[in-house]
Amino acid sequence: MHIDASGENGRGTLFVVMAGWRKWVLGAWKIATEKAELILPCLRDTVERFGPPCAAMRDLGRAVTPALNDLVSELGLEIPILACHQHFLADIGKDLLDSDHCALRDLFRRIKVQADIKRLIRELGGKIGLQIDDARQTVVAWQGMVDHAYQLPPGKDGLAVVRTISQWVIDYNADASGLGFPFDRPYLDFYNRCMIGSKAIDAFLRIPSDDRKVTGALKRLGRILTKVACEVPFRHIVKRLQRRAELFDELRDQLRTAKKLPENETVADIDAMRKRLDDWTVSLRELRPKRGPAQDTRDAIDIILKHIDVHGENLWGHIITLPENAPSRMRLVSRTNEIIENFFGTIKHGERRRSGRKNLTHDFELLPAEAALVYNLNQPDYVSAVCGSIDRLPLAFAQLDKEEARRKEKGLPSQKMSNLDKILQLSTSSLSSADRHVVRTENMNQRIIKAARSRAPRVAC
């Protein structure tokens, strides 16, 4: 059982429970906010409908953790509660790197390195003018030179080379893996490109171009990058950030995240991974300086060890023994909550394509929870269980409408919104869309204002 919730800007929170192996959405609910008391009834409803899970996968959220613990405690069963390895690493990485990475970003912004380089690029582009296509071809030819003559060509071709070097420096996002911070450290990549660019410019200036304008533009770029190379705070922050990033990358290597597809992992892989992490943790405790000036190293190691102590128990238990009548006696649970994270990504991508809007706050607030169940129709075994085939789907919906009409004729309450759905909307202080239609009315404004202006006598307490 994979569980997670997603919304947009704190609105329209959609909580979903998925069957990890079948990739079915077992249940979906709109909750006003992520709170344990709102999540637990959803988990109970899922267990009531489908039975207890053989394992449960969650992130490290403060709401889902106690809700899932309470559910397992109520069931009285030994159900492994697994923490997502990706979220585990992300939490440690943010605690380790966020402060220094933000300081590095602020330092770049304070001395305006990127802004100065962009200004230079615009000016060089204006000087090259309509001959930009020809200049690009010259740059491509210059890139392919295999000799060690670093002299830049004269004229607009040389300006185009300087422009391309400048663009390369600020194109640091090309070094990212796409996983985002803390797995990618964009401003550390920017610093590295500035340093490499500065050294390359020194090489290009050893044999100056015959064109003074080209040499002048190259020197101007060099002066911009020198502010990074010579600024003392840069060196201090980067040294600390690199030291912590190395520790984080070592930890990530123990869990081998993003190095092997989950479906290709074996029981032996999981056992070896756990042993590697245990051995690395022991060595990390021994490596921790007990005294001396290495305060930052101590703090970094303590952050990692604290997370391992807190979440270590939930990092393992992925090997599930199946009943004797199952095709295989053993099966692995995914080490991450990626299946449900990707599911939310698919929903949001579809909503953006449908609406053409980047901000989905309003769309997600109006999106019914049942929309998540529609994606089950992509699973052939689900379609077979529900209605036999897609061709029989209209008949299945017609039967539901018929049952709803029959309940209406008998004066019975509609099943379109269950009591659980109503409780999920009431058990919060957040202003839901249903409440907003009642609260944000002119009559409500007038009623409150008139009461405030009335001179009715106060009642003694």
Side-chain angles (χ1 to χ4, degrees):
M1 178 168 74
H2 291 251
I3 66 173
D4 199 8
S6 183
E8 284 287 300
N9 299 320
R11 304 255 291 274
T13 304
L14 176 65
F15 179 73
V16 169
V17 176
M18 290 189 73
W21 291 333
R22 288 187 177 271
K23 299 182 180 179
W24 291 5
V25 177
L26 301 182
W29 301 265
K30 296 301 286 290
I31 58 178
T33 186
E34 278 195 71
K35 295 177 66 176
E37 52 265 37
L38 300 183
I39 293 174
L40 183 56
C42 303
L43 300 179
R44 289 172 179 156
D45 185 54
T46 304
V47 172
E48 183 179 342
R49 294 174 183 271
F50 299 99
C54 60
M57 171 63 67
R58 58 162 174 79
D59 59 19
L60 276 60
R62 296 181 179 179
V64 296
T65 299
L68 202 48
N69 290 340
D70 290 346
L71 176 73
V72 173
S73 178
E74 291 176 3
L75 294 175
L77 301 173
E78 293 186 4
I79 299 173
I81 301 177
L82 306 173
C84 171
H85 284 193
Q86 187 86 356
H87 284 87
F88 172 70
L89 288 173
D91 274 16
I92 293 178
K94 288 175 182 177
D95 288 347
L96 275 176
L97 308 175
D98 188 60
S99 176
D100 288 328
H101 192 261
C102 288
L104 186 60
R105 177 201 62 199
D106 294 342
L107 197 54
F108 269 116
R109 291 177 177 176
R110 181 168 64 81
I111 65 175
K112 302 178 180 179
V113 175
Q114 194 165 4
D116 290 344
I117 295 176
K118 287 183 177 180
R119 187 179 300 110
L120 175 61
I121 292 171
R122 286 193 297 269
E123 291 178 11
L124 292 176
K127 292 177 180 178
I128 296 170
L130 298 178
Q131 298 177 5
I132 185 65
D133 290 334
D134 294 335
R136 288 192 181 111
Q137 294 302 319
T138 303
V139 173
V140 172
W142 175 81
Q143 291 172 352
M145 290 181 180
V146 294
D147 57 12
H148 296 285
Y150 295 112
Q151 188 176 29
L152 271 58
K156 293 185 178 180
D157 293 340
L159 295 179
V161 172
V162 178
R163 179 174 177 269
T164 303
I165 296 171
S166 304
Q167 290 173 319
W168 180 87
V169 172
I170 63 173
D171 188 32
Y172 53 89
N173 286 323
D175 296 333
S177 65
L179 295 175
F181 184 82
F183 305 101
D184 294 324
R185 279 82 70 174
Y187 286 97
L188 186 57
D189 293 336
F190 188 20
Y191 174 83
N192 291 333
R193 288 213 171 196
C194 287
M195 297 300 292
I196 294 171
S198 180
K199 293 177 181 178
I201 289 172
D202 289 341
F204 296 143
L205 289 175
R206 288 173 193 163
I207 307 176
S209 172
D210 296 333
D211 191 326
R212 294 175 59 187
K213 291 184 179 179
V214 174
T215 302
L218 190 61
K219 288 182 177 179
R220 179 178 169 186
L221 176 60
R223 287 193 296 272
I224 296 173
L225 299 183
T226 299
K227 292 189 292 184
V228 177
C230 297
E231 194 83 21
V232 174
F234 269 109
R235 291 201 295 271
H236 289 328
I237 294 173
V238 168
K239 185 177 180 180
R240 190 166 57 243
L241 184 58
Q242 287 175 334
R243 187 167 54 239
R244 289 189 167 213
E246 288 175 4
L247 270 177
F248 174 68
D249 290 337
E250 282 184 28
L251 171 61
R252 185 184 176 193
D253 190 57
Q254 308 310 311
L255 295 177
R256 296 197 307 180
T257 302
K259 287 192 175 183
K260 193 170 184 179
L261 295 176
E263 56 266 25
N264 295 333
E265 290 181 343
T266 64
V267 172
D269 290 331
I270 298 295
D271 290 338
M273 202 180 304
R274 182 170 189 175
K275 185 178 185 308
R276 277 203 316 273
L277 181 63
D278 291 342
D279 293 343
W280 185 79
T281 304
V282 172
S283 66
L284 193 65
R285 294 184 189 277
E286 295 173 352
L287 182 67
R288 180 185 182 276
K290 294 181 173 56
R291 62 180 68 87
Q295 180 65 43
D296 184 69
T297 301
R298 279 196 299 274
D299 293 342
I301 291 176
D302 288 342
I303 288 173
I304 296 175
L305 294 178
K306 180 180 178 181
H307 279 79
I308 292 176
D309 291 339
V310 172
H311 302 290
E313 183 180 347
N314 300 109
L315 292 178
W316 309 107
H318 305 82
I319 304 170
I320 305 300
T321 302
L322 301 179
E324 294 183 359
N325 59 350
S328 61
R329 292 302 312 279
M330 200 170 291
R331 195 166 182 181
L332 293 179
V333 177
S334 173
R335 293 190 294 112
T336 70
N337 221 14
E338 187 177 15
I339 177 176
I340 200 165
E341 297 278 353
N342 289 344
F343 175 73
F344 283 127
T346 300
I347 291 180
K348 292 183 179 181
H349 178 68
E351 283 298 302
R352 288 190 175 95
R353 290 192 64 184
R354 180 193 62 80
S355 66
R357 287 186 287 271
K358 181 179 179 180
N359 189 322
L360 295 178
T361 303
H362 182 68
D363 302 85
F364 235 65
E365 193 170 24
L366 297 181
L367 185 72
E370 294 80 5
L373 298 171
V374 176
Y375 288 84
N376 286 339
L377 298 178
N378 292 321
Q379 307 297 333
D381 53 346
Y382 177 88
V383 175
S384 177
V386 170
C387 57
S389 69
I390 288 291
D391 295 335
R392 294 180 57 82
L393 187 62
L395 183 62
F397 276 112
Q399 185 64 30
L400 290 174
D401 292 340
K402 183 177 180 181
E403 292 175 4
E404 186 68 24
R406 187 181 298 116
R407 292 181 64 87
K408 189 174 182 180
E409 290 176 359
K410 294 181 179 180
L412 299 175
S414 172
Q415 289 184 324
K416 288 186 177 180
M417 188 173 187
S418 65
N419 291 331
L420 174 58
D421 293 325
K422 295 176 182 178
I423 291 173
L424 295 179
Q425 294 298 325
L426 288 173
S427 303
T428 176
S429 60
S430 301
L431 191 63
S432 65
S433 57
D435 287 335
R436 197 176 300 118
H437 291 309
V438 177
V439 174
R440 291 181 181 175
T441 63
E442 185 59 29
N443 287 340
M444 186 65 181
N445 291 338
Q446 294 300 323
R447 189 72 173 174
I448 297 295
I449 292 172
K450 287 182 180 179
R453 291 175 176 175
S454 66
R455 297 184 177 180
R458 292 180 177 270
V459 179
C461 295

